[in-house]
């Protein structure tokens, strides 16, 4: 279920990309020996097999060398590019010898090479002894062949690159103006596995073909780059633009031509696999220009490594002139090459130019090894905070630390630097009776601060002293930093704030920071008014600091919309298992109660055809009184296949599924499942049989269509996970009156209209999405935005949150979370407590608090709507209209999803952050107070 931020389909694109290549580039796929004069330059990598699928280990055959093509190649247009002309292969029992004949167009009239000729060979070392590389050289009279190097023969199975050089004038050309390179494995006793051979001068090509492990890659020639689209109807134009460029004569242009499209894309990829070294940090630099652009990104695919890892680098959205983009990545183990893929989804237009890949200097980036993986550590903030103001430093030298409040916790890091507007001696907030209220602050150490302890010095007392909230009822948590992967399938990591752990004394090193989260639930009967208290900061080796805490309790309670739901993938069935900890009934009740406290009204559960687990989940759902739907993951086709003793795989449309008896078995399964759920006390439930259907053709879609028809025949309602429009449009006729669909509704107003028109026509309900998708963790935003104001703006009937605690377990062999880091666990909304009990089952996170804040934001809007109705009913038409206009103004100020930019530092503050959300909430609360006074 994990996907790219604002592009949740990253894993889908990884597989789909390779499938599209065969269809998009028929010349490459149909005849891998075809020659394209003037375009193919520098590389040759096809050693007997067409383009590989990602499931193959690149060039994994133990056979004699096979080099091709055998036809003549034309002289390329640019100096510095050398093409292959012909190949002769000789084999014997002991090995092979391959002679490569190359056109000698770089030679002078006396047939001498003008410049050094560089030879690079990428091979897998399965050689019991070194192989000899020779050239036809004029090194001495009567001596035509000369060894220029050897390929290491350790027989260790590792991919290696041999780099050899032939000095100017040494190469000998034959009568046909060819020079010859020979790779001879005779006598080694083994065969030879080659990825590619490259021959070039040591002068960079004017064409910018990306030669070598580093180099510039312009878009001046087509040979290095290929185009691809999804789907075949081409909702995007991908072309070279000679009118707009950053350097050279043209750039790459990626343009959306169908603004209604929600999942199609166009892209440009490097045809040739660029050689790369495993566990090595590379830097990719390019320039980008955009017009109203969204969802443009660079994807990097690694060849040779079995884990199929990749990296994704989103580009800024909006409109901007040429801007330098720079990203760092580390290659996974066994990587021998990589591809670049510039990709455009969603709307607008993007230009790319002057791309460059370079290997970074050793030690330039911090790396860390965990098990088999080596990670590169990168900052999440685009730029470091501005330097500490000298006056602020001088004022706080005696204390030794600075207390400050950063408005957006997402922009808080271990090395953050307090800014003048953040220095504070007091915290303020407001909330309604029955609502959770939270504040936070940070401490920046100027020297080594030991044993820092934070506590409330007094109760929270109402002005006049007639009412107080006990300080013991206020929870204090510690905002904890740790390493997290920046993308699920990659190996780049970032230090971010995430877990909210129990408050314990901490030490703070000079220049470092710690954060504290303070939270209380306002009693339902708390009278409105202004309350105050004091927070004390005590240190073992520094003076005490007192922080004022002021809270306004508002004179109204939030009203919750009965027709709107916040649903969470509960991971409840995971709690029944004994892999880590089997939850007791008391712990399960606490687990679900915590969900309700965070505003969750409905749950999903992956019960995987387990009727016992299904019945238990349904009973708990009924007992806890969730008002929303219960959705259960089951696969009736898997049951029918198992009944026949046949293997089943998710997403496959088997021939048996067309058999009426097979279909009846699936229908009977769903009817039996219905009995199990209803016997547990739940009358209305939904089947969740497939998710993340991202295209409208192929086995996955055929199965989805089949499943929808089977569910309809069984009288079972569906809950589907569909992002894109195309498959939904095709499935709609089969789903009338029996479907809830989660869709990407927050992108643009036009997208919203299309989805809602379909929902009205076919009578289904739309939900939006939020949760721990890659890059969303470690802050109140963006989950506050997606589950609150954006949910309201989209018109969806609810929000689905991925995922609560699956798996999210502390790794085996570790006793505390402090012994682990985020590289070893999957991101969750809440992590299991170290000692699970009926009193505590989880450790909350900033993103989970973001969901709660978002639910409250939505409830503020809904509450104002209810008071506007009451004002209308009282005849206060003008006042109601004024409040309605104010609400519309507030909602209009909130950007659509594709207009919203995320903030993670001062250099990138974002256009809708936590401070803006709180301002909107306060404006809404003030309107509620005005209307309530008038109505009452």
């Amino acid at each position: 279920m994990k996907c790219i931020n604002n592009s949740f389909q990253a894993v889908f694109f990884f597989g789909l990309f390779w499938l599209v290549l065969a269809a998009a580039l028929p010349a490459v796929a149909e005849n891998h020996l075809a020659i394209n004069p003037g375009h193919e330059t520098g590389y040759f990598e096809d050693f007997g097999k067409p383009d590989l699928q990602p499931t193959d280990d690149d060039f994994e055959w133990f056979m004699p060398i096979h080099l091709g093509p055998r036809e003549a190649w034309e002289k390329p247009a640019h100096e510095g590019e050398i093409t292959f002309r012909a190949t002769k292969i000789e084999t014997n029992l002991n090995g092979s010898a391959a002679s490569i004949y190359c056109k000698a167009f770089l030679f002078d009239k006396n047939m001498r090479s003008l410049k050094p000729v560089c030879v690079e060979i990428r091979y897998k070392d399965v050689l019991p002894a070194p192989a000899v590389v020779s050239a036809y050289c004029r090194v001495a009279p009567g001596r035509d062949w000369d060894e220029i190097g050897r390929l290491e023969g350790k027989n260790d199975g590792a991919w290696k690159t041999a780099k050899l050089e032939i000095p100017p004038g040494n190469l000998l050309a034959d009568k046909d103006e060819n020079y010859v390179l020979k790779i001879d494995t005779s006598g080694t006793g083994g065969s030879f596995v080659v990825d590619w051979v490259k021959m070039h001068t040591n002068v960079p090509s004017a064409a910018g073909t990306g030669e070598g492990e580093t180099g510039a890659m312009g878009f001046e020639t087509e040979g290095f780059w290929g185009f691809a689209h999804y789907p075949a109807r081409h909702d995007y134009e991908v072309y070279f633009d000679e009118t707009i460029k950053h350097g050279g004569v043209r750039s790459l242009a990626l343009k959306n031509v169908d603004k209604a499209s929600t999942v199609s894309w166009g892209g440009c990829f490097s045809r040739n696999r660029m050689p790369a070294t495993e566990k090595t940090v590379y830097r990719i630099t390019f320039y980008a220009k955009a017009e109203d652009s969204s969802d443009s990104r660079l994807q990097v695919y690694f060849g040779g490594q079995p884990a199929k890892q990749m990296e994704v680098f989103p580009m800024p959205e909006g409109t901007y002139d040429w801007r330098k983009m720079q990203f760092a990545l580390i290659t996974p183990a066994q990587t021998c090459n990589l591809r670049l893929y510039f990709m455009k989804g969603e709307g607008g237009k993007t230009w790319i130019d002057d791309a460059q890949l370079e290997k970074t200097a050793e030690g330039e980036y911090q790396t860390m090894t965990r098990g088999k993986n080596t990670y590169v550590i990168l900052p999440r903030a685009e730029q470091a905070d501005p330097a500490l103001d000298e006056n602020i430093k001088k004022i706080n030298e005696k204390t030794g630390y600075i207390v400050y409040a950063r408005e957006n916790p997402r922009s808080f890091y271990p090395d953050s630097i307090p800014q003048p507007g953040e220095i504070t001696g007091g915290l303020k907030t407001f909330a309604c009776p029955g609502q959770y209220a939270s504040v936070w602050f940070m401490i920046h150490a100027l020297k080594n601060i030991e044993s820092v302890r934070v506590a409330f010095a007094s109760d929270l007392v109402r002005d006049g002293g007639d009412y107080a909230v006990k300080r013991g009822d206020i929870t204090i948590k510690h905002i904890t930093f740790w390493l997290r992967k920046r993308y699920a399938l990659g190996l780049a990591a970032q230090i971010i704030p995430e877990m909210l752990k129990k408050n314990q004394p901490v030490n703070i090193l000079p220049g470092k920071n710690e954060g504290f989260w303070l939270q209380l639930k306002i009693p339902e009967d708390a009278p409105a008014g202004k309350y105050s208290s004091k927070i004390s900061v005590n240190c073992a080796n520094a003076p005490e600091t007192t922080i004022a805490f002021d809270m306004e309790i508002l004179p109204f309670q939030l009203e919750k919309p009965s027709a709107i739901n916040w649903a969470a993938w509960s991971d409840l069935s995971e709690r029944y298992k004994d892999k880590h900890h089997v939850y007791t009934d008391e712990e399960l009740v606490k687990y679900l109660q915590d969900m309700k406290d965070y505003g969750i009204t409905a749950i999903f559960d992956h019960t995987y055809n387990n009727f016992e687990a299904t019945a238990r989940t349904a009973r708990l759902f009924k007992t806890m009184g969730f008002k929303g739907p219960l959705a259960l993951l089951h696969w009736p086709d898997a049951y029918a296949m198992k009944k026949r003793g046949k293997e089943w795989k998710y997403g496959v449309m088997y021939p048996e599924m067309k058999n009426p008896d097979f279909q009846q078995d699936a229908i009977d399964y769903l009817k039996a499942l219905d009995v199990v759920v209803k016997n547990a006390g739940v009358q209305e439930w939904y089947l969740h049989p497939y998710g993340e259907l991202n295209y409208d053709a192929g086995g996955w879609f055929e199965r989805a269509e089949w499943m929808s028809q089977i569910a309809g025949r069984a009288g079972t309602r569906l809950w589907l996970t569909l992002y894109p429009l195309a498959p939904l449009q095709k499935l709609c006729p089969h789903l009338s009156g029996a479907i809830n669909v989660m869709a990407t509704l927050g992108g643009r107003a036009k997208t919203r209209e299309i989805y809602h028109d379909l929902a009205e026509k076919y009578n289904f309900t739309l939900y939006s999405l939020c949760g721990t998708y890659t890059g969303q963790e470690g802050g109140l935003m963006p989950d506050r935005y997606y589950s609150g104001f954006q949910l309201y703006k989209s018109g969806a009937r609810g929000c689905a949150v991925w995922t609560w605690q699956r798996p999210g377990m502390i790794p085996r062999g570790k006793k505390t979370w402090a012994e682990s880091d985020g590289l070893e666990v999957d991101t969750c909304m809440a992590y299991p407590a170290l000692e699970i009990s009926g009193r505590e089952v989880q450790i909350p996170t900033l993103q989970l608090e973001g969901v709660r804040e978002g639910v409250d934001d939505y409830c503020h809007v809904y509450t104002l709507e209810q008071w506007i109705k009451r004002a209308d009913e009282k005849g206060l038409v003008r006042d109601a209209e004024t409040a309605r206009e104010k609400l519309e103004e507030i909602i209009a100020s909130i950007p659509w999803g594709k207009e919203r930019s995320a903030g993670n530092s001062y250099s990138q503050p974002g256009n809708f952050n936590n401070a803006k959300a709180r301002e909107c909430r306060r404006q809404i609360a003030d309107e509620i107070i005005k209307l309530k006074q008038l109505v009452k």
Side-chain angles (χ1 to χ4, degrees):
M1 188 75 207
K2 286 195 170 221
C3 315
I4 301 172
N5 185 22
N6 284 333
S7 53
F8 301 132
Q9 306 91 341
V11 176
F12 147 69
F13 285 129
F14 171 58
L16 184 62
F17 164 71
W18 297 98
L19 297 177
V20 171
L21 291 184
L25 301 169
V28 174
E30 292 175 5
N31 180 12
H32 64 276
L33 297 182
I35 294 177
N36 187 8
H39 295 298
E40 299 292 346
T41 59
Y43 284 102
F44 184 74
E45 61 171 334
D46 188 350
F47 290 81
K49 185 176 179 182
D51 212 4
L52 297 174
Q53 296 298 318
T55 55
D56 296 321
D57 184 7
D58 287 3
F59 301 96
E60 181 69 56
W61 7 84
F62 300 96
M63 60 172 65
I65 304 173
H66 176 74
L67 301 180
R70 300 174 185 278
E71 297 93 337
W73 286 39
E74 298 293 327
K75 174 180 175 179
H78 300 278
E79 181 177 314
E81 301 165 5
I82 297 179
T83 62
F84 296 98
R85 184 174 188 274
T87 304
K88 180 181 179 181
I89 304 171
E90 300 172 355
T91 62
N92 55 47
L93 296 178
N94 296 320
S96 306
S99 299
I100 306 172
Y101 293 81
C102 303
K103 196 71 176 179
F105 68 93
L106 292 181
F107 285 25
D108 62 14
K109 63 181 181 179
N110 295 319
M111 302 310 298
R112 291 179 179 270
S113 56
L114 301 175
K115 302 168 184 176
V117 174
C118 300
V119 180
E120 297 185 35
I121 305 169
R122 184 70 171 179
Y123 68 101
K124 176 167 280 191
D125 191 346
V126 289
L127 300 168
V132 176
V133 182
S134 303
Y136 195 50
C137 295
R138 53 175 91 237
V139 293
R143 186 178 174 187
D144 293 337
W145 286 97
D146 192 67
E147 180 180 322
I148 60 171
R150 296 199 172 209
L151 306 182
E152 191 174 61
K154 290 188 175 180
N155 198 19
D156 55 8
W159 283 102
K160 299 173 182 177
T161 301
K163 297 183 178 181
L164 313 172
E165 183 175 302
I166 305 172
N170 278 23
L171 268 179
L172 177 65
D174 63 17
K175 61 183 179 62
D176 295 321
E177 298 185 1
N178 299 324
Y179 64 84
V180 186
L181 174 76
K182 179 182 287 186
I183 306 173
D184 191 352
T185 64
S186 301
T188 65
S191 297
F192 194 37
V193 183
V194 180
D195 189 349
W196 47 259
V197 175
K198 182 179 62 175
M199 305 181 71
H200 57 92
T201 67
N202 60 0
V203 178
S205 166
T209 55
E211 298 177 339
E213 291 202 22
T214 64
M217 296 166 288
F219 297 92
E220 316 310 318
T221 61
E222 298 178 15
F224 186 72
W225 300 100
F227 297 158
H229 297 79
Y230 173 81
R233 57 180 172 269
H234 287 200
D235 297 336
Y236 290 83
E237 290 180 2
V238 184
Y239 59 95
F240 294 126
D241 192 335
E242 296 182 357
T243 62
I244 297 177
K245 64 266 189 184
H246 180 267
V249 297
R250 64 184 185 179
S251 68
L252 168 69
L254 307 166
K255 180 182 179 182
N256 175 284
V257 294
D258 180 8
K259 295 182 179 179
S261 176
T262 59
V263 75
S264 58
W265 47 266
C268 178
F269 63 94
S270 54
R271 291 176 184 269
N272 300 313
R273 297 178 179 90
M274 291 171 284
T277 307
E278 68 171 359
K279 298 184 179 181
T280 301
V281 180
Y282 288 83
R283 182 186 298 109
I284 298 173
T285 306
F286 60 92
Y287 287 83
K289 174 184 172 70
E291 285 184 3
D292 191 27
S293 177
S294 59
D295 195 22
S296 295
R297 57 187 177 272
L298 166 66
Q299 296 184 184
V300 182
Y301 296 85
F302 302 111
Q305 48 85 32
K308 309 309 172 193
Q309 290 167 305
M310 59 185 286
E311 286 286 359
V312 176
F313 301 102
M315 299 179 211
E317 300 186 343
T319 299
Y320 47 88
D321 203 354
W322 289 109
R323 184 184 299 184
K324 184 177 181 179
M325 307 289 168
Q326 184 169 286
F327 305 106
L329 58 86
I330 190 168
T331 51
Q334 301 182 47
T335 296
C336 58
N337 55 64
L338 56 81
R339 285 188 192 269
L340 302 185
Y341 182 39
F342 291 100
M343 179 175 165
K344 180 90 187 82
E346 292 292 347
K349 188 172 182 178
T350 300
W351 291 266
I352 309 294
D353 204 357
D354 295 337
Q356 184 171 4
L357 172 71
E358 59 182 330
K359 184 185 294 186
T360 64
E362 186 174 352
E364 185 174 349
Y365 289 91
Q366 178 187 356
T367 59
M368 178 178 295
T369 299
R370 288 287 183 273
K372 297 180 180 179
N373 291 325
T374 299
Y375 298 85
V376 58
I377 312 303
L378 304 173
R380 182 163 73 172
E382 189 176 72
Q383 293 180 10
D385 290 349
L388 183 63
D389 185 276
E390 287 298 324
N391 291 329
I392 294 175
K393 183 177 180 180
K394 186 174 181 180
I395 292 171
N396 292 276
E397 277 181 341
K398 184 176 181 180
T399 305
Y401 58 89
I402 302 171
V403 175
Y404 67 108
R406 179 150 293 181
E407 192 64 56
N408 297 296
R410 186 179 181 83
S411 299
F412 175 49
Y413 303 105
D415 56 355
S416 291
I417 298 175
Q419 301 302 304
E422 298 176 336
I423 312 300
T424 183
L427 304 173
K428 295 182 179 181
T429 191
F430 61 92
C432 302
Q435 180 187 354
Y436 281 88
S438 303
V439 293
W440 54 90
F441 70 92
M442 293 80 179
I443 296 177
H444 177 84
L446 297 175
K447 64 178 184 179
N448 186 39
I449 305 296
E450 299 176 356
S451 190
V452 179
R453 300 178 303 279
V454 173
F456 271 84
S458 61
D459 294 339
L460 187 61
V461 181
R462 186 187 185 206
D463 287 359
D466 57 343
Y467 187 87
V469 177
K470 299 298 182 182
R471 59 180 174 176
D473 294 335
I474 305 174
T475 302
I476 302 176
K477 298 281 188 179
H478 182 63
I479 302 175
T480 306
F481 302 108
W482 66 344
L483 281 170
R484 300 297 293 167
K485 289 200 289 185
R486 63 164 297 277
Y487 175 66
L489 298 180
L491 294 176
Q494 301 167 326
I495 296 179
I496 66 169
E498 187 177 14
M499 280 192 192
L500 301 177
K501 294 183 180 180
K502 287 182 178 179
N503 183 32
Q504 295 179 339
V506 294
N507 299 326
I508 311 178
L509 296 174
K512 298 300 181 181
N513 298 266
E514 296 293 343
F516 300 89
W517 181 272
L518 295 78
Q519 190 173 65
L520 72 153
K521 184 174 183 180
I522 310 300
E524 298 278 356
D525 59 352
K530 295 185 177 180
Y531 292 68
S532 60
S533 180
K534 297 289 185 182
I535 304 167
S536 64
V537 177
N538 286 282
C539 311
N541 62 339
E544 178 184 3
T545 297
T546 301
I547 307 169
F549 176 50
D550 297 305
M551 170 178 283
E552 181 182 358
I553 297 181
L554 303 177
F556 65 90
Q557 289 190 330
L558 289 179
E559 301 176 47
K560 298 181 179 180
S562 60
I564 304 298
N565 283 296
W566 288 267
W569 274 265
S570 67
D571 312 312
L572 194 58
S573 292
E574 299 291 324
R575 313 285 79 83
Y576 307 154
K577 302 174 183 179
D578 62 356
K579 183 177 181 181
H580 297 281
H581 175 83
V582 178
Y583 277 49
T584 66
D585 288 345
E586 181 186 18
E587 292 164 355
L588 291 170
V589 168
K590 174 61 176 172
Y591 184 85
L592 292 173
Q593 185 59 55
D594 283 350
M595 289 188 186
K596 295 188 72 175
D597 286 345
Y598 277 93
I600 302 301
T601 62
I603 67 171
F604 299 79
D605 197 16
H606 294 75
T607 47
Y608 297 113
N609 289 29
N610 186 321
F611 276 25
E612 182 181 352
T614 298
R616 190 175 188 184
T617 293
R619 287 194 297 269
L620 285 165
F621 180 86
K622 176 70 173 179
T623 300
M624 295 304 299
F626 285 95
K627 74 177 183 67
L630 169 64
L632 299 167
L633 188 148
H634 278 258
W635 298 316
D637 50 338
Y639 163 79
M641 287 291 285
K642 184 177 180 181
K643 181 179 178 180
R644 286 157 176 76
K646 295 187 176 182
E647 183 180 354
W648 174 86
K649 184 178 180 181
Y650 180 77
V652 176
M653 183 69 184
Y654 293 97
E656 291 87 347
M657 296 169 73
K658 297 181 180 180
N659 186 295
D661 291 338
F662 187 100
Q663 295 175 9
Q664 189 59 50
D665 285 341
I667 292 169
D668 291 342
Y669 177 90
L670 292 178
K671 289 181 176 180
L673 178 62
D674 182 67
V675 172
V676 170
V677 178
K678 288 180 176 177
N679 284 344
V682 178
Q683 297 305 306
E684 292 191 14
W685 64 279
Y686 293 80
L687 174 69
H688 190 264
Y690 55 86
E692 293 191 305
L693 186 66
N694 294 305
Y695 43 90
D696 55 1
W700 283 61
F701 181 81
E702 289 182 36
R703 176 183 179 270
E705 191 174 32
W706 181 91
M707 190 70 71
S708 302
Q709 294 172 340
I710 292 296
R713 291 167 60 185
T716 303
R717 303 181 71 184
L718 295 180
W719 187 296
L720 309 181
T721 310
L722 296 177
Y723 305 140
L725 186 62
L728 176 58
Q729 288 173 316
K730 284 193 175 182
L731 285 173
C732 279
H734 306 294
L735 305 174
S736 180
I739 175 174
N740 281 28
V741 178
M742 292 177 297
T744 307
L745 296 174
R748 295 177 182 272
K750 180 63 176 178
T751 305
R752 173 192 179 278
E753 292 175 9
I754 295 172
Y755 275 99
H756 279 278
D757 287 346
L758 286 173
E760 182 177 357
K761 180 177 180 179
Y762 293 102
N763 188 31
F764 60 79
T765 303
L766 293 169
Y767 275 61
S768 62
L769 292 160
C770 74
T772 53
Y773 293 88
T774 300
Q776 295 186 15
E777 65 277 2
L780 300 181
M781 291 292 181
D783 286 313
R784 176 176 185 175
Y785 169 77
Y786 289 135
S787 61
F789 288 120
Q790 180 61 35
L791 171 60
Y792 178 86
K793 193 178 179 80
S794 73
R797 307 310 294 169
C799 182
V801 183
W802 172 270
T803 178
W804 206 260
Q805 266 190 31
R806 192 174 67 96
M809 292 293 183
I810 187 170
R812 288 188 178 276
K814 303 295 175 66
K815 296 181 180 179
T816 69
W817 284 109
E819 295 178 1
S820 177
D821 57 42
L823 303 178
E824 301 177 280
V825 296
D826 288 340
T827 305
C828 300
M829 298 305 291
Y831 293 89
L834 291 175
E835 296 182 6
I836 296 170
S837 68
R839 293 178 298 176
E840 184 181 31
V841 296
Q842 70 180 13
I843 301 173
T845 61
L846 285 171
Q847 58 264 21
L848 182 55
E849 295 297 337
V851 170
R852 173 144 60 194
E853 294 293 332
V855 173
D856 283 353
D857 288 339
Y858 195 107
C859 290
H860 273 78
V861 176
Y862 179 77
T863 302
L864 177 53
E865 288 181 329
Q866 302 313 301
W867 282 105
I868 290 174
K869 290 180 182 178
R870 292 169 191 140
D872 274 329
E873 291 168 358
K874 285 285 188 178
L876 302 170
V877 178
R878 180 175 298 178
D879 298 295
E881 184 60 27
T882 299
R884 186 178 292 110
E885 290 175 357
K886 181 63 176 178
L887 178 59
E888 291 175 355
E889 177 186 329
I890 293 169
I891 298 302
S893 71
I894 298 166
W896 282 98
K898 294 305 175 184
E899 298 168 357
R900 175 184 175 271
S901 61
N904 60 32
S905 66
Y906 284 97
S907 62
Q908 193 180 20
N911 61 357
F912 189 79
N913 52 30
N914 190 65
K916 177 63 176 177
R918 185 166 62 179
E919 177 186 340
C920 291
R921 183 193 288 187
R922 181 73 228 203
Q923 292 175 357
I924 292 169
D926 289 341
E927 293 300 316
I928 294 171
I929 294 171
K930 291 177 188 176
L931 288 182
K932 183 178 179 182
Q933 291 172 344
L934 291 169
V935 171
K936 292 296 185 182

